[in-house]
Amino acid sequence: GAVVSQHPSRVICKSGTSVKIECRSLDFQATTMFWYRQFPKQSLMLMATSNEGSKATYEQGVEKDKFLINHASLTLSTLTVTSAHPEDSSFYICSAIGTSGGEQFFGPGTRLTVL
Amino acid sequence: LAKTTQPISMDSYEGQEVNITCSHNNIATNDYITWYQQFPSQGPRFIIQGYKTKVTNEVASLFIPADRKSSTLSLPRVSLSDTAVYYCLVGDRNSGYSTLTFGKGTMLLVSP
């Protein structure tokens, strides 16, 4: 099946710093990628949808200036958490859909801890 | 957006068949039903997808009645490693599942 990777798998940073998370589709081209956030013992919450070469569409309540998304190619999307604070600590998961459509393939997730 | 309702948790023993039912009363004509499995600190893993009647693959079966207002994921002979959260989602496959919304999922605990 299609493989989606994320890097890093976990990151610890100080409050006020910015963190970039990469999401790559390894064996297929992804026209659309999604970013989710998951707090402990809760479900996944969609943050934004990004299409290659265009601006991301953010869900209500998600600050676009804080969570910068760049989908520069058909195999790479990045999420940058700017000026991170402890409340941004969460599990961030990306997913991707191939050019022919179909189901979403999820990455392994990135655990962000902001001290 | 089609909302789904699942049991919060289920318990089972090794070797038993487990059936998890999901309600999606306002499913749209173009919506498919997809089930994912998630282990702690991992991304969701695709299990099975269907539109109507019955779908079977090497790990599960999906039963969908004619009115499509519910679906049942059937896991045959579960093992301890099947302990996970199972999510039922409905979404328009043709629009890239942009309408997918994760519900609370069902926490399945398999005991020896």
Side-chain angles (χ1 to χ4, degrees):
Chain A
V3 179
V4 175
S5 70
Q6 284 184 238
H7 178 80
S9 58
R10 57 177 63 238
V11 56
I12 301 173
C13 68
K14 293 182 179 180
S15 184
T17 61
S18 295
V19 175
K20 179 184 286 188
I21 303 171
E22 293 185 350
C23 176
R24 294 181 184 273
S25 56
L26 298 185
D27 51 2
F28 68 103
Q29 293 185 325
T31 50
T32 305
M33 287 185 168
F34 303 88
W35 286 95
Y36 294 84
R37 180 167 52 181
Q38 185 175 33
F39 292 106
K41 299 190 183 301
Q42 293 188 24
S43 185
L44 284 77
M45 292 179 55
L46 180 64
M47 298 175 66
T49 303
S50 72
N51 292 294
E52 185 265 337
S54 61
K55 290 184 178 180
T57 302
Y58 290 81
E59 294 298 302
Q60 191 172 10
V62 178
E63 301 175 55
K64 62 179 182 180
D65 294 330
K66 181 171 181 62
F67 299 99
L68 303 179
I69 293 173
N70 183 17
H71 192 163
S73 75
L74 285 174
T75 59
L76 174 64
S77 176
T78 60
L79 167 67
T80 301
V81 183
T82 62
S83 186
H85 289 97
E87 57 265 31
D88 297 324
S89 298
S90 188
F91 192 52
Y92 292 86
I93 306 170
C94 73
S95 69
I97 294 176
T99 53
S100 59
E103 73 268 21
Q104 292 187 31
F105 297 99
F106 287 84
T110 296
R111 174 75 59 191
L112 170 63
T113 303
V114 184
L115 302 177
Chain B
L1 299 178
K3 183 179 178 181
T4 60
T5 303
Q6 304 172 232
I8 296 295
S9 64
M10 294 184 69
D11 294 325
S12 183
Y13 293 96
E14 282 188 293
Q16 290 190 334
E17 177 184 79
V18 172
N19 296 309
I20 306 175
T21 298
C22 177
S23 297
H24 27 80
N25 291 318
N26 59 342
I27 187 170
T29 302
N30 292 332
D31 284 344
Y32 279 71
I33 301 158
T34 310
W35 285 79
Y36 286 89
Q37 175 192 56
Q38 187 182 29
F39 297 111
S41 296
Q42 294 187 27
R45 184 175 74 100
F46 172 84
I47 301 175
I48 198 166
Q49 182 184 78
Y51 184 80
K52 62 180 179 180
T53 62
K54 177 184 175 182
V55 180
T56 298
N57 61 22
E58 62 275 10
V59 297
S61 294
L62 179 59
F63 299 91
I64 306 169
D67 65 6
R68 303 198 331 121
K69 293 184 182 298
S70 67
S71 60
T72 299
L73 173 71
S74 181
L75 305 173
R77 296 179 299 282
V78 294
S79 63
L80 297 178
S81 61
D82 292 318
T83 293
V85 178
Y86 292 82
Y87 293 100
C88 159
L89 294 93
V90 295
D92 185 349
R93 179 170 171 168
N94 295 325
S95 67
Y97 295 105
S98 60
T99 56
L100 273 185
T101 301
F102 277 82
K104 296 184 184 300
T106 298
M107 174 65 217
L108 173 64
L109 175 62
V110 181
S111 300

